[in-house]
Amino acid sequence: MNSEKAAVAAALSDTTRFDCAADADCLNSCEHGAVNANWYRESEKLPGFVECEDGCSNQISAPPRCEGGTCVAYQFDPKDSSTITKSDYCTRKGT
């Protein structure tokens, strides 16, 4: 495995990528779901770090929340924007 792929693999295997102390510590990543914002800012600098369009940061995504020390994804109901529910698919994505 080349060093670029190894660095990305290490970042993606870092389980602290979901850690938080407050809602502001979290962000929605298209590819990686609700993650720690500092982890994301550092990881996105890695050559070969993959992101997508839409995915877990699409138009129905609600701001992620920090719950029990973990970033948790939420989404708006597309038929009723006043209804917000947890998105299990985008919470701890990739584990």
Side-chain angles (χ1 to χ4, degrees), residues 11-12 22 32 40 45 51 55 62 69-70 74 85 95:
L12 294 176
H32 309 288
Y40 185 84
K45 295 175 189 174
E51 192 51 284
T70 298
Y74 282 84
T85 57
T95 59

Side-chain angles (χ1 to χ4, degrees), residues 5-95:
K5 287 183 181 181
V8 171
L12 294 176
S13 66
D14 180 1
T15 57
T16 66
R17 71 185 184 273
F18 305 113
D19 291 356
C20 58
D23 291 349
D25 294 339
C26 303
L27 66 76
N28 285 322
S29 160
C30 173
E31 182 74 19
H32 309 288
V35 293
N36 179 281
N38 289 330
W39 172 87
Y40 185 84
R41 282 191 281 279
E42 290 303 311
S43 296
E44 74 178 336
K45 295 175 189 174
L46 295 170
F49 184 78
V50 176
E51 192 51 284
C52 62
E53 293 183 27
D54 230 3
C56 290
S57 61
N58 60 30
Q59 57 272 30
I60 64 168
S61 297
R65 301 175 191 168
C66 182
E67 297 178 356
T70 298
C71 294
V72 177
Y74 282 84
Q75 65 185 29
F76 295 102
D77 181 321
K79 295 180 176 151
D80 177 9
S81 63
S82 68
T83 302
I84 300 172
T85 57
K86 181 178 174 186
S87 171
D88 290 329
Y89 175 75
C90 293
T91 298
R92 294 193 65 84
K93 190 170 180 194
T95 59

